[in-house]
Amino acid sequence: MRILTPSKRVFLTLTMFTLAYNIHAQDQNLTVNQDPKFDQLLNDKRKINTSINTNDTYKIQIFSGKSEEAKKTLSDFKREYNNIDGTIIFNTPNYKVMVGNFKTRIEAERNLADIKKKYKSVFLIKPSK
């Protein structure tokens, strides 16, 4: 490692300060013009989201894997259990098939016992609070 002579060190320091003094990267002001309807839509979306209670029900996960297999599993499930609703949720890297919206754990466990007869890797998902 080379050590700079004092005169070179002073010259480089003064050069750096001079260059840094002339940099004005944060001097610009940014003005955003936004349509007032955007705020209205955002408020409507917030109202809808607060009215949806998706986290207070028990669900049963019957599959986790590839997209095509998840779609097939869900369609097979809906053919057999047409009174229980189901959906596919993507959670990296798998697609998960969740069924049911059970209000109580007892109701969910009754259905879980019945569904376990047909599907091998099923388990109960608790509501998150």
Side-chain angles (χ1 to χ4, degrees), residues 61 63-67 70 88-97:
Q61 179 176 321
F63 177 80
S64 178
K66 295 182 180 177
S67 173
I88 297 175
I89 297 171
F90 178 70
N91 193 352
T92 306
N94 294 320
Y95 290 84
K96 297 180 179 184
V97 178

Side-chain angles (χ1 to χ4, degrees), residues 38-88:
F38 180 77
D39 286 329
Q40 180 185 358
L41 286 172
L42 192 58
N43 288 333
D44 290 344
K45 175 75 171 154
R46 286 181 183 140
K47 287 177 189 174
I48 290 170
N49 284 346
T50 57
S51 68
I52 298 173
N53 294 327
T54 57
N55 293 334
D56 61 349
T57 59
Y58 289 88
K59 295 188 180 298
I60 298 172
Q61 179 176 321
I62 62 170
F63 177 80
S64 178
K66 295 182 180 177
S67 173
E68 293 304 316
E69 294 174 47
K71 289 176 187 174
K72 183 181 180 313
T73 303
L74 182 60
S75 67
D76 291 345
F77 178 83
K78 285 186 175 180
R79 258 187 260 122
E80 267 189 65
Y81 301 93
N82 55 6
N83 58 338
I84 301 174
D85 63 330
T87 186
I88 297 175

